[in-house]
Amino acid sequence: MDVTTPATSASAPWLIVGLGNPGPEYAMNRHNVGFMTVDLLAGRIGGRFKRASKAQAQVVEGRIGAPGPDSRRVVLVKPMSYMNLSGGPVNALRDFYKVPLGNVVAVHDELDIDYGTLRLKLGGGDNGHNGLKSMTKAMGADYHRVRFGIGRPPGRMQVADYVLKDFSSAERKELDYFVDRTADAVECLLAEGLERAQSAYNS
């Protein structure tokens, strides 16, 4: 699909934003679980990320859900601006595709939740997460969040060091399962709404 064709307001897609940092050195960092999730979603819909013409980001367009009127048009997004500046590219794409703020979903790591646990919500604060902070500054806070728990850093390790380290060998044993479940939660949110998704995936 041509990634330069804007959507009309009547067919506004969902913007599914995986938060992370670009580059192979960051690929397996805890901070990049958002990228991992949208990569999996892209694979599920048979799409390949392409450079967006209107923003510093990579995008995939497609549909999520069973074929037919109940499927949801989506734009999967990986900002290429680094985490702290995610808001600019996301807001530019939101404007280009004419996406209501309530149709934006940020998938991100969350320190205050145990590893692998999910929490879905609409709106709220950023809890010190720089990607969310940048998105909220750019467009307001009333977007959906799919929060993937990574737990707090051990001992006296600084948060910045912890989130930019790869998942541990023990964590990696379950990582594929947890990322798969996160992608399922995104699909459920789009298909059945926030309350049903919270009931099914919040734990």
Side-chain angles (χ1 to χ4, degrees), residues 41-64:
L41 286 167
R44 288 182 179 183
I45 66 175
R48 296 181 63 181
F49 278 96
K50 301 177 182 179
R51 184 173 60 86
S53 61
K54 300 298 181 181
Q56 190 178 357
Q58 292 184 355
V59 299
V60 171
E61 287 191 49
R63 303 192 80 89
I64 284 178

Side-chain angles (χ1 to χ4, degrees), residues 60-172:
V60 171
E61 287 191 49
R63 303 192 80 89
I64 284 178
D70 291 334
S71 68
R72 299 289 185 266
R73 184 172 173 229
V74 297
V75 181
L76 306 176
V77 180
K78 293 194 293 187
M80 293 287 110
S81 56
Y82 291 96
M83 184 70 80
N84 295 7
L85 301 174
S86 299
V90 173
N91 201 39
L93 289 169
R94 189 175 75 88
D95 288 346
F96 180 66
Y97 288 103
K98 298 180 172 60
V99 178
L101 187 54
N103 276 28
V104 177
V105 182
V107 184
H108 64 92
D109 56 299
E110 179 64 58
L111 286 162
D112 288 332
I113 303 174
D114 291 339
Y115 174 61
T117 299
L118 293 181
R119 294 281 193 278
L120 287 80
K121 70 173 185 176
L122 174 64
D126 56 59
N127 199 26
H129 192 289
N130 287 327
L132 297 181
K133 189 178 298 183
S134 180
M135 285 181 60
T136 296
K137 182 178 179 181
M139 59 188 190
D142 293 331
Y143 52 90
H144 289 86
R145 296 99 186 279
V146 177
R147 302 182 290 162
F148 182 108
I150 60 170
R152 301 293 303 185
R156 297 184 179 181
M157 183 184 292
Q158 295 295 311
V159 166
D161 294 332
Y162 178 69
V163 299
L164 293 176
K165 285 188 179 297
D166 289 356
F167 285 101
S168 69
S169 57
E171 289 169 333
R172 285 198 296 271

